[in-house]
Amino acid sequence: MKTNLFDPFLEEPAGPLVQQAMENGGIAVGYTCSYVPSVLLSIPPLFPVRMRAPGASGTELADIYLSKLTCSYTRSLLEFSMDFRYDFLGGWVHAASCDHLRRLNDNMTYLLSPDFSHIIDVPHRAGKEGLDWFLEELKILIGRLETHFGLTISDDDLARAIADYNNFVGLLTSVAERRKEDLPPLSGTEFHKMMLAAFTSPRHLIRKPIETFRDSVRERKNIKAPRARLMLVGGQMDDPRYIDTIESTGAVVVADRFCTGSIPGLDPIGPAESPLRAIAEHTLLAPSCPRMMEDFDRRLKQIVDTAAAYRVDGILLEFIKFCDTWGVESASLVAALRESGLRVLSLEREYSGTGLGQLQTRVQAFLESMGK
Ligand code: SF4
């Protein structure tokens, strides 16, 4: 895998920019899921860090507490937490998005006795009642943040945090849009590294490296046509090696619809009757994870529309073994996407990036089946 300027920010859960922000009085707050409103964790001196377990190789300690039938993402996070790799956090906020994340929060809170931990309950439907409930959940979270960290969070603070967030995702979108070009000037691996650095570093410090990257992409010349344009769809994905293995076949991942991807991860927060309502609507509606009931058609349409906008030749649907949400959804989603005329390869995987050789072989065969 080629190195790039984001690598130093991705090797550890706390990269150098996280350390720098903490030395200047910042407080890192960990979170795990797109149903956690990271914008609420960015009221100074707080800043959000999306939790991952880079280089995870085994879960011997975590397996004592979490069943092997729990997804390996959550077991890897517990392993890292028990190995003191998340001690730098001033606390964390999880969402009860799936039972695996709920058990992760139970065990982290029980085993590590953190100064601050909170779990948000998330409704399974996003109608008016669901939104009202979620709004109350966010008020509870704000109250706990204020009490524990000695903050007063006003509507003006929230409006400022929204403006900052929208400005930041606008910068990321300006890079993402380049992937629509006939000759995409950046690989999916490079883009994924940028996105991971963006979600795991303090925004005000990672902005400059992202601008440098955006400008360097503008100057690229003699770009080769990819063997195929692919879209990656699925749940938790925070491993550049996975996408690099896919791209080692000569294909390029031009679109990503997964938890830490650009679709719908870079949607801006829209206006609403109050800043908190805007955050609630955005957080509950944007991710459209399979955990949400009666939302299949919207998810399907979004994937089909994205495939058309990025002119993809095929879709790779990835999900972590034992992931209840994406695992159950995959069968019906694959069938519906094929009915829409799209070519799809379904890939079950482990979080730790084992089986990359097999992945390469399967993608290779998928491309050949498309005549690529
Ligand atoms: S990968 Fe699936 S099971 Fe694991 S935390 Fe995410 S939604 Fe839950």
Side-chain angles (χ1 to χ4, degrees):
M1 182 165 60
K2 278 193 201 148
T3 55
N4 85 352
L5 87 167
F6 297 113
D7 287 336
F9 310 129
L10 303 178
E11 284 159 9
E12 291 291 330
L17 298 183
V18 172
Q19 308 278 7
Q20 187 182 329
M22 287 168 53
E23 280 161 19
N24 289 314
I27 300 173
V29 182
Y31 73 104
T32 40
C33 173
S34 302
Y35 287 97
V36 174
S38 63
V39 71
L40 285 185
L41 309 181
S42 59
I43 307 291
L46 310 182
F47 66 92
V49 174
R50 191 147 185 153
M51 295 172 75
R52 51 192 288 268
S57 56
T59 52
E60 289 74 17
L61 284 173
D63 290 350
I64 300 168
Y65 298 93
L66 286 175
S67 147
K68 281 243 182 194
L69 303 183
T70 312
C71 88
S72 48
Y73 168 57
T74 52
R75 281 187 285 127
S76 299
L77 283 189
L78 185 61
E79 184 79 13
F80 266 44
S81 303
M82 294 176 73
D83 208 14
F84 312 110
R85 307 274 295 273
Y86 271 110
D87 274 10
F88 67 94
L89 292 177
W92 61 74
V93 179
H94 290 148
S97 317
C98 69
D99 285 344
H100 306 238
L101 282 174
R102 192 188 294 251
R103 292 297 293 146
L104 171 70
N105 182 69
D106 291 346
N107 280 282
M108 282 180 65
T109 304
Y110 170 72
L111 291 166
L112 304 171
S113 305
D115 287 342
F116 181 83
S117 73
H118 186 77
I119 185 160
I120 305 172
D121 219 344
V122 187
H124 285 279
R125 286 194 175 93
K128 182 180 177 314
E129 292 80 5
L131 260 171
D132 288 346
W133 170 15
F134 196 58
L135 194 63
E136 290 308 309
E137 285 289 327
L138 299 196
K139 286 179 185 166
I140 294 169
L141 170 61
I142 287 179
R144 290 218 53 218
L145 292 171
E146 287 182 323
T147 305
H148 182 79
F149 293 105
L151 304 172
T152 306
I153 301 176
S154 66
D155 273 3
D156 284 349
D157 292 324
L158 295 180
R160 258 193 304 277
I162 290 172
D164 178 63
Y165 177 85
N166 284 350
N167 187 289
F168 187 67
V169 295
L171 171 63
L172 297 169
T173 301
S174 69
V175 182
E177 286 289 308
R178 303 292 314 271
R179 307 165 83 196
K180 285 183 180 160
E181 294 173 16
D182 285 342
L183 298 178
L186 70 164
S187 69
T189 310
E190 289 177 298
F191 183 76
H192 186 50
K193 287 182 178 182
M194 179 193 77
M195 290 292 287
L196 289 179
F199 287 131
T200 56
S201 308
R203 286 184 199 127
H204 66 291
L205 294 177
I206 196 65
R207 170 174 272 279
K208 187 84 192 126
I210 292 172
E211 287 170 346
T212 302
F213 177 66
R214 176 200 59 194
D215 296 345
S216 75
V217 169
R218 275 191 194 135
E219 284 164 17
R220 290 183 180 175
K221 296 193 172 60
N222 303 322
I223 299 157
K224 280 197 343 201
R227 179 179 173 188
R229 302 168 69 92
L230 298 176
M231 176 176 176
L232 191 56
V233 172
Q236 179 67 30
M237 162 58 66
D238 61 47
D239 187 354
R241 292 172 304 169
Y242 194 83
I243 299 180
D244 188 59
T245 302
I246 292 168
E247 295 188 321
S248 67
T249 60
V252 172
V253 174
V254 294
D256 40 36
R257 195 261 176 251
F258 49 75
C259 301
T260 50
S262 59
I263 304 154
L266 298 184
D267 287 355
I269 300 174
E273 64 194 52
S274 72
L276 189 58
R277 185 94 192 172
I279 292 169
E281 286 179 6
H282 172 82
T283 310
L284 194 59
L285 289 170
S288 188
C289 170
R291 72 170 302 283
M292 299 301 279
M293 300 288 126
E294 298 163 5
D295 210 19
F296 181 84
D297 291 345
R298 188 167 72 104
R299 253 186 322 275
L300 176 64
K301 182 175 181 324
Q302 185 186 54
I303 297 170
V304 172
D305 290 351
T306 303
Y310 286 79
R311 300 184 309 289
V312 307
D313 299 301
I315 293 179
L316 307 178
L317 176 63
E318 60 79 21
F319 56 93
I320 296 176
K321 196 172 177 181
F322 303 125
C323 171
D324 302 332
T325 52
W326 282 96
V328 170
E329 171 116 328
S330 63
S332 38
L333 192 55
V334 168
L337 288 169
R338 284 183 180 152
E339 265 175 40
S340 305
L342 291 160
R343 294 173 184 270
V344 190
L345 175 65
S346 178
L347 298 161
E348 188 180 67
R349 67 186 184 92
E350 290 288 1
Y351 177 75
S352 61
T354 51
L356 293 179
Q358 189 195 39
L359 170 67
Q360 188 188 45
T361 305
R362 292 199 61 197
V363 174
Q364 185 79 25
F366 181 56
L367 297 178
E368 282 168 17
S369 76
M370 294 193 288
K372 294 288 177 184

